[in-house]
Amino acid sequence: MNFDEFTGQVQHRLELPGTGETVRAIRATLMTLGQRIPAGATEDLASSLPMEIRWYMTGAVSDHGQRFDWHEFVSRVSEIEQVDQSTAAYHARVIIDLVSTQVASSDFQQLRDQLPESQEDENWGKLFEVVDAGGWQEHEQSPTEETK
């Protein structure tokens, strides 16, 4: 999948009006994820993504492996993307689902292993809700659920 196909898929799935909003959503999610996971894991995960998309996780991030929880992740994505937190959380889930279809399963599992998923330990399982539900489907609608 190339850059145009990737962004087109995200734009379609999120029903965004234009390429600018789409790229901003992708950049916000992947830059923030790149800040959270170690550099080596970021390189592994990003290696199968289009070069322009890979850059958001690798070249655009100078400080990998930061420790922050799911709520801080959503807050950072929301600020970069300039949307409310529930929208940012939904966008991140859908983008991560698309990423999961583009990378090796071992690299995606490595990502999951980097992020604690228990309720008591940062709530990172919420990032994988679309993946765990079987992936994005045409009939999905934007959720109204809280990010907390």
Side-chain angles (χ1 to χ4, degrees):
M1 181 175 284
N2 66 33
F3 175 79
D4 290 336
E5 292 166 332
F6 191 94
T7 56
Q9 279 289 316
V10 171
Q11 184 173 358
H12 173 72
R13 291 176 182 204
L14 296 179
E15 299 178 356
L16 295 172
T19 304
E21 297 90 346
T22 304
V23 170
R24 191 167 51 241
I26 295 167
R27 179 175 55 92
T29 296
L30 297 183
M31 278 181 63
T32 306
L33 186 61
Q35 292 169 346
R36 177 58 178 82
I37 60 177
T42 303
E43 290 289 340
D44 291 345
L45 184 66
S47 67
S48 299
L49 298 175
M51 177 183 60
E52 302 90 341
I53 302 298
R54 177 175 45 234
W55 185 83
Y56 295 135
M57 293 184 76
T58 57
V61 176
S62 60
D63 189 15
H64 296 277
Q66 297 175 35
R67 294 290 300 175
F68 52 84
D69 65 10
W70 164 250
H71 296 291
E72 177 64 17
F73 174 85
V74 171
S75 177
R76 290 181 185 199
V77 171
S78 171
E79 184 176 324
I80 294 167
E81 191 179 350
Q82 301 172 357
V83 296
D84 63 60
Q85 290 193 5
S86 62
T87 300
Y90 176 67
H91 288 179
R93 290 177 180 117
V94 171
I95 290 165
I96 292 302
D97 178 60
L98 180 57
V99 167
S100 77
T101 68
Q102 300 302 303
V103 302
S105 58
S106 60
D107 292 336
F108 196 74
Q109 185 59 49
Q110 182 181 22
L111 168 65
R112 292 186 81 134
D113 292 345
Q114 297 288 325
L115 303 171
E117 293 190 25
S118 72
Q119 283 290 345
E120 301 78 37
D121 197 8
E122 302 182 0
N123 299 314
W124 282 102
K126 292 181 179 187
L127 182 62
F128 305 105
E129 286 178 347
V130 174
V131 174
D132 293 342
W136 182 84
Q137 303 295 321
E138 280 288 331
H139 64 276
E140 284 194 18
Q141 302 292 321
S142 296
T144 57
E145 70 180 70
E146 291 290 318
T147 60
K148 298 179 180 177

